[in-house]
């Protein structure tokens, strides 16, 4: 994870913007359930009334409501309103002050409301107790008759109320506040008796749930507003419209923010991918042959494409999902705590189950994800070998066998991929099961709390939504766990390339190339491949001088190509030293060293483009005349002139649209066009016929007289006229001299020469050849 995250450091500004936008998105996301809860609890159940203090009351209600209040409560009550047109309207107060007033006045206002809608049976029992009568005496009397007996006007009315089972029924009620107010004024009741009744009422209210208490208080506000002429239906509509518009606004804002998050996250992901490709490419370009041998070409291609694509995709997902998940989860937890539902243990249990479930699945799939990337390397390797060697495969009739080899590699990758995918398919069903069980648990626990009056329906709805958000935040993380293990492996593989230092690099203190003579000296050089137990080259000692051709010949595998690869520092010597004009090439800056060398490898390599672009590969500023001259020396003019576009003719990738001989000649021309001081030809004439070979060597000798020429060859005819020939055998120089000298002094050279040329060509008598044989 850290290896993935460190690639985003250059984009920290964009990451901060994304995190800010995610906070805004989370705030919008977390606000919506609150609005839903308010729409249910306030907009629908409470008719759009939010507070227990009414918006507007009559003058009579202002006075009547105070008889059961304490002096402090009465002061608060009176300070809430201002008189207007015979009514009292609520002052323009802040939400905090209204909430404080709700808290202070809930009990007297609920008691006031209950006394305004007291059931007739309860009224008769209360009056009988106050008058010292038997309740049976009042059982057959109507409310009006009891009022006449008490010398006041009383009327009963029908009111809908909920019973203990939650069923709505219509009961006969009476407003008894005037009765108790009259008893208080007449002295039949004292203030203490009133407060004694209030204490009993408070005990009853305390036994109720907070949700039920709030609903009863709002019911009073609704009844008082109606009595003062407030259109409650319009209040309800206004509240629902306003809440709905706020939700729409939040949703639109969230949509815009989500798009912006996606935009910035995609830019960061694309930037990370671009940077990694750049780092990997620059590192690989600097690799010596030792590092190229360590990382196969197929593996490097996979790391540069498939692995980086994994990182790019996961980087985007990290910013869009993983960064959002904790913000949403923490916000959801805070909202859940704020609801006071007391069901946090349900969510905690669900999170524990989710984490355990994910850990089991990831631990089972992680080893397979590591194996998968190696299998991708393998299938790339097999594909590359088959496609590049297609002509050989067809010539040997190996199509069926190679199809089977590819099929084996493909099946291995498919099998591993299916295993990981099958494990991860359990992720979503398992998560959905946990979420559904969680929902059922919340509904079951919430139903009991609603029944006890501790929670409203809207609050439970909001709690379910918040719980789903919290679980979804973990679900987002677990969904990423499908990709993260593979991305972690990819990041490790990419990091392995990036942190690998080339074994060949410039010295801390480099020496400038002041003289450009081109004198190469091998001073008792030894070389051993990395990890090998024995030297490949032993005590190589010779000088290659300007104006002279130094040829290297020997049997296959004797170390010829290895020797010339040491000159441009494709490998570094492990013993002795190589000097250029008296300076150790390890102390010369590699770019300066290679600028002096025109290297033609054993296998001619061309690049997609044109003939001209390939010839200018080593010297971009080469003129048309210079590349034409180079082509003429390399004997390439013959086939270039036959093409319609001549030097602008297209070269396919790898030079697949030219023959082997043409490819070699273009590679030689490319080196000549560079105009270096040192030419290194690593068996670069092998695909040329003898006539072209001879013409090329002649033209080369005439045009590069001041340069040092080093030729590796298999054919004696190619090096016949070289000023110095080195004969290699098993990594050692067993002969050094001209052709004539070696024929006399070097047995190995004699054997090579006699195997390729006739006695007459060698200037020997038939009897000498026969005798030696």
């Amino acid at each position: 994870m850290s290896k993935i995250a460190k690639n985003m450091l250059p984009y920290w500004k964009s990451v901060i913007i994304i995190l800010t936008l995610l906070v805004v998105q989370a705030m919008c996301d977390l606000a919506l359930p609150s609005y839903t809860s308010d729409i249910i609890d306030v907009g629908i159940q409470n008719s759009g009334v939010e507070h227990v203090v009414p918006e507007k009351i009559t003058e009579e209600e202002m006075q009547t409501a105070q008889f059961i209040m304490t002096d402090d409560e009465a002061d608060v009550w009176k300070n809430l309103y201002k008189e207007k047109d015979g009514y009292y309207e609520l002052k323009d107060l802040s939400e905090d002050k209204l909430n404080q007033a709700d808290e202070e006045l809930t009990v007297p206002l609920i008691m006031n409301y209950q006394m305004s809608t007291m059931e007739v049976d309860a009224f008769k029992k209360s009056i009988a107790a106050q008058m010292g009568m038997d309740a049976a005496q009042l059982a057959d009397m109507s409310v009006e008759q009891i009022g006449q007996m008490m010398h006041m006007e009383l009327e009963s009315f029908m009111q809908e109320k909920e019973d203990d089972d939650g069923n709505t029924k219509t009961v006969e009620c009476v407003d008894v506040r005037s009765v108790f107010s009259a008893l208080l004024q007449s002295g039949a009741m004292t203030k203490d008796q009133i407060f004694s009744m209030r204490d009993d009422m408070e005990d009853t209210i305390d036994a109720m749930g907070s949700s039920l208490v709030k609903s009863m208080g709002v019911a009073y506000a609704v009844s008082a507003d109606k009595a003062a002429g407030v259109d409650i239906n319009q209040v309800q509509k206004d509240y629902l419209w306003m809440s709905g518009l706020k939700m729409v606004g939040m949703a639109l804002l969230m949509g815009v923010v989500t798009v912006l998050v996606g935009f910035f996250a995609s830019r960061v992901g694309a930037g990370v991918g671009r940077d990694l490709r750049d780092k990997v490419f620059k590192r690989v370009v600097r690799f010596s042959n030792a590092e190229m041998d360590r990382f196969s070409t197929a593996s490097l291609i996979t790391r540069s494409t498939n692995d980086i694509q994994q990182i790019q995709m996961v980087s985007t997902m990290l910013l869009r999902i993983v960064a959002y998940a904790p913000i949403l989860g923490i916000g959801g937890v805070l909202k859940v705590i704020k609801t006071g539902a007391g069901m946090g243990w349900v969510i905690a249990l669900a999170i524990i189950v989710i984490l355990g479930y994910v850990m089991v699945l990831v631990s089972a799939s992680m080893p397979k994800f590591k194996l998968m990337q190696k299998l991708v390397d393998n299938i790339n390797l097999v594909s590359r070998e088959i496609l590049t060697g297609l002509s050989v495969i067809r010539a040997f009739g190996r199509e069926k066998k190679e199809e089977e080899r590819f099929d084996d590699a493909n099946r291995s990758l498919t099998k591993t991929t299916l295993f990981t995918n099958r494990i991860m398919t359990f992720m979503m069903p398992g998560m959905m099961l946990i979420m559904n069980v969680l929902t059922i648990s919340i509904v079951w626990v919430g139903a009991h709390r609603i029944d006890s009056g501790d929670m409203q329906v809207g609050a439970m709805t909001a709690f379910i939504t918040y719980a789903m958000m919290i679980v979804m935040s973990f679900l987002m993380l677990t969904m990423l766990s499908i990709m993260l293990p593979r991305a972690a492996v990819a990041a490790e593989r990419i990091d392995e390339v990036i942190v690998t230092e080339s074994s060949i690099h410039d010295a801390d203190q480099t020496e400038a190339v002041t003289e450009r003579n081109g004198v190469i000296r091998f001073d008792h050089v030894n070389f051993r491949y990395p990890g090998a137990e024995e030297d490949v080259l032993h005590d190589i000692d010779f000088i290659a001088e300007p104006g002279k051709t130094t040829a290297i010949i020997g049997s296959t595998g004797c170390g010829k190509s290895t020797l010339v690869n040491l000159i441009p520092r494709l490998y570094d010597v492990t013993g002795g030293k190589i000097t250029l004009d008296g300076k150790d090439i390890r102390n010369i800056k590699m770019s300066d060293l290679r600028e002096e060398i025109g290297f033609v490898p054993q296998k001619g390599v061309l690049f997609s483009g044109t003939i001209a672009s390939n010839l200018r590969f080593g010297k971009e500023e080469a003129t048309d005349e210079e590349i034409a001259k180079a082509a003429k020396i390399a004997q390439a003019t013959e086939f270039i002139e036959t093409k319609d576009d001549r030097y602008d003719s297209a070269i396919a990738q790898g030079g697949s649209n030219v023959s082997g001989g043409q490819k070699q000649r273009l590679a030689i021309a490319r080196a000549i066009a560079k105009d270096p001081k040192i030419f290194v030809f690593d068996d670069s004439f092998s695909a040329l016929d003898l006539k072209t070979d001879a013409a090329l060597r002649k033209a080369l000798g005439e045009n590069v007289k001041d340069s040092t020429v080093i030729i590796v060859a298999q054919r004696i005819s190619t090096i016949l006229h070289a000023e110095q020939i080195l004969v290699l055998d098993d990594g050692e120089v067993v002969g050094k001299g001209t052709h004539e000298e070696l024929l006399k002094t070097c047995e190995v050279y004699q054997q090579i020469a006699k195997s390729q040329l006739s006695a007459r060509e060698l200037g020997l008598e038939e009897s000498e050849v026969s005798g030696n044989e």
Side-chain angles (χ1 to χ4, degrees):
M1 185 77 170
S2 60
K3 290 180 180 178
I4 298 173
K6 75 177 183 180
N7 296 310
M8 299 182 195
L9 288 178
Y11 303 93
W12 63 271
K13 291 181 181 178
S14 294
V15 171
I16 290 174
I17 292 172
I18 290 169
L19 292 176
T20 305
L21 290 171
L22 288 175
V23 170
V24 175
Q25 182 182 347
M27 289 173 64
C28 295
D29 219 346
L30 293 166
L32 292 177
S34 298
Y35 284 118
T36 304
S37 174
D38 291 342
I39 285 174
I40 295 172
D41 293 339
V42 178
I44 298 174
Q45 292 188 335
N46 294 340
S47 301
V49 178
E50 299 180 74
H51 299 282
V52 299
V53 290
E55 286 286 332
K56 187 177 181 182
I57 54 175
T58 61
E59 185 175 355
E60 181 184 0
E61 185 64 34
M62 168 62 80
Q63 302 304 322
T64 302
Q66 296 178 41
F67 89 95
I68 203 167
M69 295 180 181
T70 64
D71 292 339
D72 290 340
E73 290 170 345
D75 289 339
V76 172
W77 174 252
K78 286 184 285 188
N79 289 331
L80 290 173
Y81 294 93
K82 58 184 178 182
E83 188 176 1
K84 184 179 180 181
D85 300 331
Y87 292 95
Y88 285 87
E89 292 184 353
L90 198 63
K91 294 178 182 177
D92 187 14
L93 301 172
S94 66
E95 194 68 19
D96 289 339
K97 287 187 176 180
L98 287 173
N99 288 331
Q100 185 178 353
D102 284 349
E103 188 175 339
E104 293 176 359
L105 299 177
T106 294
V107 172
L109 293 180
I110 287 177
M111 189 172 177
N112 188 26
Y113 177 63
Q114 288 189 328
M115 294 177 74
S116 69
T117 57
M118 183 177 287
E119 292 184 24
V120 170
D121 291 341
F123 166 67
K124 289 179 179 179
K125 290 178 182 178
S126 180
I127 292 299
Q130 294 296 324
M131 298 180 69
M133 298 173 60
D134 187 354
Q137 293 178 269
L138 302 178
D140 296 329
M141 294 180 66
S142 66
V143 171
E144 288 77 6
Q145 290 171 335
I146 295 172
Q148 290 174 2
M149 183 181 71
M150 298 178 67
H151 306 291
M152 61 180 63
E153 291 185 8
L154 288 177
E155 291 183 4
S156 63
F157 55 89
M158 305 305 293
Q159 179 85 13
E160 286 188 350
K161 288 192 174 185
E162 287 187 359
D163 59 18
D164 294 336
D165 296 326
N167 299 318
T168 302
K169 63 177 182 178
T170 303
V171 295
E172 186 180 7
C173 298
V174 62
D175 186 347
V176 299
R177 292 177 300 173
S178 57
V179 175
F180 287 101
S181 181
L183 290 174
L184 189 62
Q185 290 175 4
S186 66
M189 284 187 73
T190 64
K191 196 76 171 176
D192 291 338
Q193 287 176 308
I194 293 292
F195 285 123
S196 176
M197 290 174 57
R198 172 172 166 165
D199 290 340
D200 294 337
M201 181 70 73
E202 282 193 53
D203 291 339
T204 304
I205 290 173
D206 290 340
M208 299 177 185
S210 58
S211 174
L212 183 58
V213 170
K214 180 69 181 289
S215 295
M216 291 175 64
V218 170
Y220 166 75
V222 171
S223 64
D225 284 335
K226 284 182 178 178
V230 175
D231 187 349
I232 292 297
N233 289 333
Q234 189 61 45
V235 170
Q236 186 176 36
K237 287 179 182 178
D238 291 344
Y239 182 87
L240 292 174
W241 271 107
M242 184 59 65
S243 297
L245 289 173
K246 286 179 180 177
M247 290 183 75
V248 170
M250 288 287 182
L252 290 174
L253 177 59
M254 191 165 61
V256 172
V257 169
T258 303
V259 171
L260 290 174
V261 168
F263 171 75
F264 282 107
S266 298
R267 284 191 63 181
V268 171
V272 166
R274 178 197 61 205
D275 294 346
L276 284 176
R277 280 188 291 271
D278 185 58
K279 287 179 183 178
V280 169
F281 180 76
K282 286 181 177 177
R283 180 65 68 182
V284 170
V285 166
R286 289 198 296 269
F287 278 172
S288 69
N289 285 13
E291 285 73 47
M292 293 302 294
D293 292 340
R294 175 184 166 189
F295 299 102
S296 69
T297 305
S299 179
L300 288 173
I301 291 172
T302 305
R303 292 172 200 238
S304 302
T305 53
N306 184 277
D307 288 357
I308 290 177
Q309 188 178 3
Q310 291 288 329
I311 301 298
Q312 180 174 330
M313 180 172 61
V314 169
S315 296
T316 304
M317 298 294 284
L318 278 172
L319 293 173
R320 294 187 64 181
I321 295 179
V322 177
Y324 186 55
I327 297 173
L328 186 64
I330 293 169
V333 169
L334 294 176
K335 287 287 188 179
V336 162
I337 294 171
K338 191 176 179 181
T339 61
M343 294 191 294
W345 63 271
V346 180
I347 298 175
L349 180 61
I351 290 172
I352 292 170
V353 173
I354 288 171
L355 291 176
Y357 184 68
V358 172
M359 287 176 66
V360 170
L361 292 181
V362 172
S363 61
S365 59
M366 190 65 176
K368 294 294 184 181
F369 278 120
K370 291 182 177 179
L371 176 62
M372 191 185 299
Q373 294 306 102
K374 293 181 180 178
L375 293 174
V376 171
D377 284 350
N378 186 47
I379 201 167
N380 280 343
L381 175 63
V382 172
S383 301
R384 191 167 178 269
E385 283 184 344
I386 292 172
L387 292 174
T388 53
L390 204 54
S391 57
V392 177
I393 292 168
R394 288 171 179 164
F396 282 84
R398 291 272 301 182
E399 291 94 339
K400 194 69 178 176
K401 288 290 183 183
E402 294 304 316
E403 285 176 12
E404 290 174 2
R405 190 158 76 99
F406 179 82
D407 193 48
D408 288 341
N410 195 21
R411 284 181 183 276
S412 297
L413 177 59
T414 304
K415 185 178 178 181
T416 306
T417 305
L418 285 175
F419 178 84
T420 55
N421 287 346
R422 282 168 183 161
I423 286 181
M424 289 306 173
T425 52
F426 287 100
M427 184 77 74
M428 187 56 70
M431 288 298 170
M432 294 309 297
L433 177 63
I434 293 170
M435 288 177 68
N436 290 329
V437 170
L438 176 62
T439 304
I440 293 170
S441 301
I442 292 172
V443 172
W444 185 77
V445 176
H448 285 78
R449 294 184 66 81
I450 290 171
D451 185 55
S452 63
D454 293 324
M455 183 188 287
Q456 289 183 296
V457 175
M460 187 186 75
T461 304
F463 188 88
I464 291 174
T465 307
Y466 287 131
M468 290 303 103
M469 284 184 177
I470 294 169
V471 174
M472 280 298 294
S473 66
F474 280 89
L475 184 59
M476 290 177 191
L477 297 174
T478 54
M479 287 295 291
L480 194 71
S481 68
I482 298 174
M483 296 177 288
L484 199 56
R486 189 173 181 184
V489 174
E492 190 174 330
R493 283 158 52 87
I494 293 167
D495 198 55
E496 187 181 5
V497 175
I498 293 173
V499 301
T500 298
E501 293 289 341
S502 176
S503 57
I504 298 176
H505 49 78
D506 287 329
D508 295 334
Q509 297 293 329
T510 57
E511 298 181 40
V513 177
T514 53
E515 297 181 13
R516 298 185 70 245
N517 297 322
V519 178
I520 288 287
R521 178 174 181 180
F522 276 65
D523 189 359
H524 300 285
V525 167
N526 297 319
F527 176 72
R528 178 181 301 183
Y529 282 107
E533 296 180 359
E534 295 181 1
D535 288 345
V536 178
L537 298 176
H538 314 273
D539 196 31
I540 307 297
D541 191 80
F542 70 91
I543 299 176
E545 298 176 319
K548 295 180 181 180
T549 299
T550 297
I552 303 168
I553 195 167
S555 59
T556 302
C558 68
K560 302 186 298 296
S561 293
T562 302
L563 189 149
V564 294
N565 282 339
L566 297 175
I567 299 173
R569 292 190 69 194
L570 301 181
Y571 291 103
D572 261 345
V573 300
T574 53
K577 63 180 179 179
I578 302 173
T579 62
L580 170 62
D581 295 326
K583 296 178 181 178
D584 192 326
I585 62 172
R586 290 171 293 188
N587 297 329
I588 300 173
K589 197 173 182 180
M590 275 193 286
S591 58
D592 293 343
L593 170 66
R594 290 168 181 171
E595 189 66 31
E596 300 294 305
I597 301 168
F599 192 84
V600 184
Q602 195 169 9
K603 181 182 178 183
V605 177
L606 298 180
F607 301 92
S608 55
T610 63
I611 291 175
S613 68
N614 272 276
L615 296 185
R616 288 192 174 99
F617 194 77
K619 186 179 179 181
E620 291 184 6
E621 68 277 10
T623 63
D624 292 343
E625 291 75 15
E626 287 174 332
I627 63 172
K629 181 181 178 182
K632 184 178 180 181
I633 295 169
Q635 308 302 303
T637 310
E638 170 193 344
F639 72 87
I640 293 174
E641 296 293 340
T642 61
K643 295 181 177 293
D644 294 337
D645 297 326
R646 300 176 73 242
Y647 288 92
D648 291 326
S649 300
I651 296 293
Q653 183 181 1
S656 58
N657 61 337
V658 293
S659 69
Q662 292 172 343
K663 191 185 296 185
Q664 276 197 342
R665 279 180 277 174
L666 289 175
I668 293 168
R670 177 173 61 200
I672 295 169
K674 185 180 178 182
D675 191 24
K677 290 302 295 180
I678 302 163
F679 285 96
V680 178
F681 299 101
D682 184 7
D683 201 11
S684 310
F685 306 95
S686 58
L688 305 181
D689 60 82
L690 293 174
K691 180 183 175 183
T692 305
D693 184 351
L696 193 155
R697 284 187 289 107
K698 181 182 178 185
L700 196 63
E702 293 172 354
N703 289 275
V704 294
K705 292 179 181 179
D706 297 330
S707 298
T708 301
V709 179
I710 299 174
I711 299 176
V712 172
Q714 297 282 1
R715 294 195 307 223
I716 291 287
S717 58
T718 304
I719 61 170
L720 204 60
H721 302 290
E723 284 78 9
Q724 178 178 230
I725 301 173
L726 303 179
V727 183
L728 254 61
D729 186 38
D730 197 20
E732 294 185 60
V733 177
V734 295
K736 184 193 302 184
T738 62
H739 170 70
E740 291 77 11
E741 291 169 350
L742 290 172
L743 278 177
K744 297 175 183 177
T745 60
C746 183
E747 184 181 349
V748 175
Y749 187 79
Q750 290 173 9
Q751 291 173 356
I752 297 172
K754 291 173 184 178
S755 66
Q756 295 183 16
L757 301 173
S758 67
R760 186 172 59 82
E761 289 173 316
L762 292 172
L764 300 174
E765 296 295 331
E766 290 289 343
S767 58
E768 291 182 67
V769 178
S770 302
N772 289 331
E773 290 176 349

